[in-house]
Structure formats: C-alpha cells, structure tokens
Amino acid sequence: MVDAWDRGRGPFSALTLYVATVTFGGLLFTLDRVRHLEPADLRMMGPAFVMAAALLVAGELRPLFTPGSRDSNGVATSTTFVFALLLHWGLGVAILMQAVATVVADRSNGTAWWRTGFDVARNALAYGAASLVLVAMGHTGAPNAPMTITGADLPAIALAGLAYVVCDNVLASRATALQCGERLWHVIRADAAHQALTTGALLALSPLVVVVLERSIALLPLLLLPLFAVYRNASASLQREHEALHDTLTGLPNRRLLLRQAGDAIEEADRCGYQVGLFLLDLDRFKDVNNTLGHNVGDELLRHVGERLGSVLRPEDTVARLGGDEFGVLLPVIRDQAAAEEVAERIRTALTQPFALQEVALDLEASIGIALYPAHANDVDLLMQRADVAMYHAKEARSGIEAYDSACDPHSTQRLSLFGQLRRAIEDDELVLHYQPKVDLGTGRVSGVEALVRWQHPERGLLPPDTFVPLAEQTGLMKSLTSNVLEQALRQTAAWSESGLSIRMAVNVSARDLHDDTFCDRVSDALSRTGVAASMLELELTERVVMADPQRAMENLTALARLGVRLSLDDFGTGYSSLAYLRRLPVTEIKIDKSFVLRMDVDDEDATIVRSTIDLAHGLGLRVIAEGVETAETWQRLSDLGCDAAQGYFLSRPKPAEVVTDWLTARDNVAAMRVVGSRRPAGRRSAARG
Ligand code: C2E
Ligand code: CA
Ligand code: CA
C-alpha cells in the first residue's frame, strides 16, 4: 500500500507535510520512551530478551508472503514478538526493538530513509496506543517487573491489540488517502478485512510468547515449530502460485498475472484518477530466428528480450510474456497517450540494440499496440482486446507503434457497419478494379497489368483498398472479395485478348486465400469459365502471407504453379523470409517494395538495398520488378542496375479499364519508354528468366 506514495509527493504537498509530522512526532515519542531504559534493564531481562530480539529481527527480515495476498510487503511476524515484549517488559523495550528491526530490514532492502523514519514513527505511535489501553486497564510490565499472563488478562490484551491495529491502519491509510485525494474511510475499508485477519492472528500468538519468556526458553520449540510449518506451507503454496502465474521460459509474469495486475491497476486508477497503459508487443522477425538458428537460440533471445524490456521500464511497471513472441507491458500509472508512446518508442529503440547470442548478434523490430484505461476501454478484457487491435494495426501499417483507434478496429461500431455494407457491396458488384501497367525495362514493352481493387461506395465515394481490404481479411470476407476480383480481372483479360491485346493480369492474394484448401480449384474454375490461359495470370503474394503458415502456403503455391499460374513475391524487403526459404518457393518474380524504390534517389542506403536485392534475385534465377517508380531518374537508375521491369506513377497510376485500354493502345506511350530504356549502358546483365 505504501509504495504508491512515491507518486504523490511534491516538496510541499499535504502528503509530505503529513509524513513529516507523523515522523517527527513518532520519533520524538520513541526517543522519550527509550531514554528511560538502563543497561541494567538489559541484564535483568537476560537470555530471554536476546532470544526474543533475535526472532523479532528475523521475522522482520523474512516477512511471510501468503498466496493471493496483494500486499507486496508481506506480513512481518516480528509483530508477534514486539507485542510480546510490550506485554511482558513494557513499551520502551518494544519500541526500541521494533525500531532496530525496521532499520536493519530496511537497510537490507534498500528502502528510502524517509520511509524507514515514517515506519518507525508509525509503529511507535501504534504500540503507544496499545500501551495506553494496557496501562488504563491496570496491566503494566517493565524490565524490572515483567508482567505475567493469566486467562483473566485476555480481554485487556485483545483491546490493546485492537488499539494497535486501528492506530497503525489509520496512520498508514491517511497517507494513501492524501496521495490519492480520497476519503480516509474508503482506503481503510479497502484493506481492513485482510489487515484485521493477518495482524490479529499474529497478535494472538503474543501471549504464548510471553508464557515462554516467563517460564522457560526451553519451551520455545513448541512455539517455533508451528510457526516454521506456517512458513513452509506458505512458501510451498507461494511456489505453486508462482508457477501458475509465470512463464517457465523467461520467468516473467504470464497472461493471467498480467490481467490480474491490470485489474488491480484499474481499481487503483479509479480511486486515484490515474490512467493505466497496456501494451501488446510482437516481435517482427522471431519465426525466422527460430527457423534458421534453431529453438535454443530462439529461447535465449526471448529471455534476453524479457530482460531488456524490464531494463527500460520503471520498477512498478510489469513485463509479461503472453506466449510465442508476444509480450505484454502494464504501466499502472501513465500521464497520457503521448507519454505512453514515448515509453513504447523507448522499448523499440532498446530492441534495436543487437542481442549477442551464441556468437551471432541479432537486432529485433517489434510492433507495439497501445491501449489506455479509461480512454480506450473501461475494463481489463476490453483493454487487452484494444491493445491487440492496435498491435495488429501497427503490424499491418508497419509503423511499429500504434495507439488504439476505433476507426481501425474491426469490432468497433463504425467498422461493424462498414463490415455489413462490405458483405452486401461484394454481392452487389460495388467493387471495381483499376489497373496499373508494368513495363519491361529492357524492351519498353508492357509486360502486364496489376488489378487493384476499389470500393465504389454509394455514399462515401471511391474508397481505397486499405480502408476495407484489412477489414475483409479480419472478418472472413476475403474469400468472396478475392473471388470477385479474380473473376472481374480475368473477364477483362479475356476482353483485351479478344481485341488483340495480350496482357498478363496480376491479382493480389491474401493470407486467407493461400491458407484455404479450395483456393487452387477456385482459380482453376475461374480460368476455365473465362477461357483465359493459366500463363496469363499472375498472383502477387507478400512474404507475410507465406510465412503465416509456410507448410500450407507451400502446398497451395506448388499446386498453383503446376497449374501454370505465375507467382510473384510482393512488397519484397519488408518481410524477413530467409533466402534459403525463398529458394524453395515456386515464385518466378520478386517485387521490390515501393518504400525502398521511392527513396532510392535520396537515400544511399535504400539504393544499396535495391541494388543488392536485384543481384541477389538474379543469382537465384528470379525476375525483378520495382514498384513505386515515380520519377525518370529512378526509372533510369533501375534500368542501369539491371532491374527487369518497373511499375509506378511515372508510367501510370492505376486507372479504370477504359483509360488503361487507351493507354495500352497508344503506341506513343510505349515508344517513349523505349527511348528512356535504350539509354541503358551496354553489357547489362540479363535476367535469368523472362
Ligand atoms: P500493393 O499490392 O503493394 O499495390 C501497390 C500500391 O502502390 C497500390 O496502392 C498502388 O496504387 C500504389 N502505387 C503504385 N505506384 C505507385 C507510385 O509510383 N508511388 C506510390 N506512392 N504508390 C504507388 P493501392 O491501389 O492503394 O493498393 C494498396 C494495397 O491494397 C495493395 O498494395 C494491396 O496490398 C492491397 N490490394 C489492392 N487490391 C487488392 C486486391 O484485389 N486483393 C488484395 N488481397 N489486396 C489488394
Ligand atoms: Ca501488389
Ligand atoms: Ca507492393
């Protein structure tokens, strides 16, 4: 409970004032009581005192943690012994020993000095209250006149215990209440039952300790044995609880514990008006590490990632491993979204520092989704779900970090209505295709077109694919979307063919398509229905599409290739498929992602990536096409580098069929390309496949 105070302390806040007052008063009181003790008292108390003092310090150093308890400080069994000292030898001895034990334990835990001071003072005042009750009821003990206990003393002892519990609780809760700006009563009530039970049980043991002190230390084992059993039991159940709540590989909290802590954080946030942040983090390349370097390296990497995450967060934040390469981060207190994004950025930067593993250095990229309570969700489950949506979005957009945005959420109402409309739109033929030409850099001839889908929405106009393709992907509409696009594209190919234009048609396919066992048959059916030869169809798939389920994807790809359909690897360079793997795929072409091509004129690093990708693909016998060619310079450079084909706004934007038909038939256009293309220096290395 006390840990939360660190957050609310300014130099002159009410909390600081309160803590200072209690500390000052309590310490003065302690000094006053302890002043009366004489060395002679110590001698009088003898070995019994030494034993009690030793047990007391041990109890303070090894607090008892019980399963299910939310109190991170545990329960100090020293309470039993201090209260026994109070009963037997009076307040001075009790306060002195409590102070000594607190200082020793706090030093070994590295607790802040002001906290130690406050705890010593608070305890002194609470034992003072208990002592007041005892004295009032005529029970006084002192070193030279120890109190003995009979059954008749129990009511007075019970009342004194009650005074201690109430006073201690009020003093601590008041600080928490000040810090959260909350009513004292609410804070006390939140923890009262647990406190009363545990502290009550510890205090109930004290009279027995007194009996041992007064009769014979030889009776001590009778007392210690059950205490020892309680410790052992608690630590065994604690071990079981730990296992149930932690990930075995990394030792980090698991999903269950993260959810539980998020629930606690939300409760606390409600009381204190904080925001809570939840991140979901997914490593972008982890599968490849496992596939190429083996599971041992993968496991080691995960452990390192866990440690690295912990090292850039505050101690009160939680890092959990949720399974596979997915981690969760809980920030129990966060100012706002900008602050959360800063933390996420710090995490991403930390992961890009290379990890040294069994002689290889790996750096990682991660996609992080952020959701905040209460801004984005009003309970734990929803918070988790929204962080997941945000992470999915970050992965899709390759932006690395995204905070939850209802516009990108397939479950949000806005998207739900769009989902309903999309299903109908596919049936009602509202999807239209635009076509973008691809031109052969060697000959300047059009080598094909790519079909790119748009939605002619009755109210919102022409919608670009990124507003609805991901939605279709997430909601099971992809199958009908792809079928619709395939059908339209092939009909257009047939129409062009009839008018004498022999143009190869490229269609984009998604992960859902490739992991559907009927996909190959559907393609085959569409080809025979439209009378288009399989060799006139090209399917573009991204690395991510393949890597999502390599085994199944491979089966489908092999079947498609056998059919005679050409396969092209889209967005190349943005995924991380290993070269060894790429060689096994039956693709004939790779498409360098536009992010590299767009920047190759201004960024040497991107130009290098493009150059080495071209060399590498040619080495593997693959054709290379560059997408996103916007300028004549890029066109020329690609041509010089030996790239086989290009596509981009410089040639043509995607256009409706009629416009593209005109473009294709306009010989001038093609000739112009040929002029630029012919400036290529001699001796260019030719593509291995055409
Ligand atoms: P993609 O397959 O990588 O398509 C290329 C995108 O880059 C297209 O965006 C195209 O208009 C754009 N582009 C072409 N040349 C240039 C250029 O020179 N500069 C710039 N800045 N951009 C250029 P579009 O049409 O918005 O499509 C976006 C994505 O939507 C596509 O990326 C593809 O992943 C998806 N998509 C489009 N149609 C379909 C479809 O029928 N099925 C599936 N599964 N996905 C589709
Ligand atoms: Ca494409
Ligand atoms: Ca692309």
Side-chain angles (χ1 to χ4, degrees):
M1 185 199 319
V2 188
D3 289 322
W5 301 353
D6 288 335
R7 301 199 275 268
R9 288 187 325 128
F12 299 109
S13 68
L15 177 62
T16 311
L17 220 63
Y18 170 75
V19 169
T21 312
V22 171
T23 308
F24 185 68
L27 290 183
L28 266 188
F29 180 64
T30 306
L31 284 179
D32 178 58
R33 291 289 101 188
V34 170
R35 206 162 43 95
H36 298 297
L37 292 176
E38 310 265 333
D41 292 341
L42 207 68
R43 272 199 302 281
M44 243 176 294
M45 293 184 291
F49 169 74
V50 176
M51 174 208 76
L55 288 173
L56 189 162
V57 173
E60 188 78 26
L61 278 170
R62 288 268 327 254
L64 184 62
F65 290 96
T66 47
S69 158
R70 306 271 158 99
D71 191 343
S72 58
N73 299 319
V75 181
T77 48
S78 57
T79 311
T80 302
F81 298 99
V82 179
F83 200 65
L85 294 184
L86 170 71
L87 295 175
H88 197 52
W89 285 313
L91 185 60
V93 179
I95 291 187
L96 174 68
M97 284 321 298
Q98 172 69 60
V100 170
T102 306
V103 171
V104 170
D106 280 6
R107 278 316 87 206
S108 89
N109 297 333
T111 311
W113 272 110
W114 69 266
R115 274 280 304 273
T116 306
F118 180 78
D119 286 345
V120 167
R122 191 191 62 180
N123 269 305
L125 294 173
Y127 285 116
S131 165
L132 218 61
V133 172
L134 288 173
V135 171
M137 296 182 73
H139 297 265
T140 46
N144 51 7
M147 179 178 123
T148 51
I149 287 184
T150 66
D153 301 320
L154 289 185
I157 294 176
L159 271 183
L162 187 68
Y164 168 79
V165 172
V166 169
C167 183
D168 185 55
N169 247 315
V170 167
L171 287 172
S173 302
R174 174 96 185 112
T176 306
L178 277 175
Q179 189 243 339
C180 297
E182 222 204 324
R183 291 242 187 85
L184 175 63
W185 174 235
H186 287 177
V187 180
I188 292 180
R189 212 177 38 188
D191 210 29
H194 178 77
Q195 282 288 338
L197 197 72
T198 47
T199 316
L202 290 172
L203 293 179
L205 265 182
S206 303
L208 297 178
V209 176
V210 175
V211 171
V212 173
L213 293 178
E214 96 193 30
R215 293 286 149 83
S216 157
I217 320 180
L219 295 175
L220 189 67
L222 294 184
L223 194 71
L224 288 191
L225 224 58
L227 211 58
F228 177 71
V230 169
Y231 261 99
R232 279 300 296 265
N233 239 331
S235 72
S237 354
L238 210 64
Q239 178 71 23
R240 276 196 299 280
E241 189 187 54
H242 185 91
E243 277 159 18
L245 294 175
H246 289 78
D247 167 49
T248 36
L249 178 66
T250 58
L252 293 173
N254 61 15
R255 183 182 294 269
R256 245 178 84 195
L257 185 53
L258 184 76
L259 286 175
R260 185 200 276 189
Q261 295 190 343
D264 289 350
I266 282 181
E267 251 175 52
E268 176 96 3
D270 274 342
R271 290 202 280 130
C272 303
Y274 300 139
Q275 293 221 63
V276 177
L278 183 69
F279 296 177
L280 285 194
L281 182 151
D282 193 279
L283 304 179
D284 287 344
R285 256 197 306 192
F286 184 72
K287 266 208 190 79
D288 295 342
V289 174
N290 253 349
N291 288 343
T292 49
L293 299 174
H295 287 270
N296 285 343
V297 178
D299 288 354
E300 200 187 331
L301 182 61
L302 288 174
R303 278 192 288 267
H304 282 279
V305 168
E307 283 164 19
R308 181 107 23 118
L309 290 175
S311 72
V312 294
L313 295 166
R314 293 169 306 183
E316 61 263 40
D317 301 337
T318 302
V319 179
R321 176 163 172 245
L322 307 179
D325 56 354
E326 201 176 280
F327 290 82
V329 173
L330 173 72
L331 313 175
V333 179
I334 190 78
R335 197 181 60 240
D336 52 20
Q337 185 168 321
E341 283 169 355
E342 256 169 48
V343 177
E345 196 55 61
R346 206 160 65 221
I347 291 177
R348 254 174 69 87
T349 313
L351 292 180
T352 56
Q353 307 301 315
F355 290 88
L357 302 164
Q358 302 182 6
E359 292 165 31
V360 273
L362 287 171
D363 58 311
L364 283 176
E365 274 181 26
S367 300
I368 305 178
I370 302 175
L372 297 180
Y373 172 91
H376 299 143
N378 52 16
D379 66 46
V380 179
D381 292 331
L382 198 60
L383 193 66
M384 197 75 171
Q385 189 201 316
R386 303 235 135 140
D388 194 42
V389 167
M391 184 193 69
Y392 189 88
H393 183 203
K395 242 185 166 34
E396 281 294 292
R398 291 196 211 104
S399 52
I401 298 170
E402 291 291 338
Y404 175 76
D405 175 1
S406 62
C408 304
D409 186 351
H411 308 285
S412 82
T413 35
Q414 190 195 345
R415 296 262 293 185
L416 277 179
S417 82
L418 206 59
F419 166 68
Q421 291 173 10
L422 181 59
R423 184 194 298 280
R424 187 194 37 73
I426 297 175
E427 286 161 11
D428 293 358
D429 280 332
E430 280 175 20
L431 297 188
V432 295
L433 296 188
H434 283 188
Y435 301 91
Q436 187 178 34
K438 304 175 178 180
V439 168
D440 198 297
L441 282 166
T443 61
R445 282 183 29 216
V446 176
S447 61
V449 295
E450 176 180 3
L452 292 157
V453 69
R454 278 97 180 86
W455 178 1
Q456 188 64 62
H457 193 281
E459 287 125 37
R460 298 166 63 182
L462 197 66
L463 297 179
D466 43 312
T467 57
F468 62 91
V469 170
L471 179 65
E473 182 103 34
Q474 289 165 37
T475 52
L477 282 178
M478 207 59 219
K479 197 167 156 181
S480 32
L481 186 142
T482 303
S483 290
N484 187 297
V485 169
L486 196 63
E487 192 81 20
Q488 286 193 56
L490 289 178
R491 261 193 263 127
Q492 185 60 52
T493 314
W496 275 331
S497 172
E498 247 165 56
S499 62
L501 285 168
S502 171
I503 307 284
R504 179 175 290 133
M505 178 63 71
V507 170
N508 292 285
V509 297
S510 84
R512 300 264 175 199
D513 300 319
L514 220 57
H515 300 143
D516 167 17
D517 293 331
T518 66
F519 183 58
C520 190
D521 292 339
R522 274 158 54 212
V523 171
S524 168
D525 288 351
L527 285 168
S528 24
R529 247 195 326 273
T530 50
V532 174
S535 62
M536 294 301 281
L537 176 64
E538 183 166 51
L539 296 177
E540 293 190 5
L541 40 120
T542 63
E543 288 169 272
R544 273 174 308 143
V545 166
V546 179
M547 295 314 281
D549 183 353
Q551 184 60 35
R552 195 117 72 102
M554 185 64 112
E555 283 163 20
N556 260 322
L557 290 180
T558 313
L560 285 164
R562 219 176 282 137
L563 211 66
V565 172
R566 291 169 47 124
L567 300 170
S568 171
L569 205 55
D570 206 351
D571 300 350
F572 187 80
T574 57
Y576 301 94
S577 27
S578 67
L579 265 179
Y581 189 76
L582 205 99
R583 273 237 299 268
R584 303 216 307 264
L585 293 175
V587 296
T588 47
E589 179 187 87
I590 62 161
K591 230 174 153 173
I592 305 181
D593 189 63
K594 56 176 176 289
S595 57
F596 305 107
V597 178
L598 283 169
R599 289 190 306 246
M600 66 182 284
D601 284 339
V602 288
D603 188 332
D604 286 341
E605 203 172 301
D606 285 306
T608 310
I609 292 175
V610 171
R611 174 155 32 83
S612 46
T613 305
I614 292 172
D615 290 346
L616 191 131
H618 283 166
L620 292 173
L622 298 170
R623 236 175 92 83
V624 188
I625 174 165
E627 65 175 15
V629 180
E630 291 191 349
T631 64
E633 288 94 305
T634 310
W635 173 273
Q636 185 57 53
R637 274 185 86 174
L638 286 166
S639 174
D640 293 346
L641 290 174
C643 189
D644 300 288
Q647 184 184 18
Y649 295 169
F650 174 61
L651 302 158
S652 167
R653 285 181 182 258
K655 299 273 171 59
E658 320 79 73
V659 184
V660 180
T661 310
D662 293 343
W663 193 92
L664 290 172
T665 37
R667 295 278 147 202
D668 294 356
N669 227 333
V670 178
M673 293 308 142
R674 195 179 288 127
V675 173
V676 191
S678 65
R679 273 198 270 135
R680 186 183 4 240
R684 162 190 177 256
R685 178 175 179 185
S686 72
R689 297 191 200 177

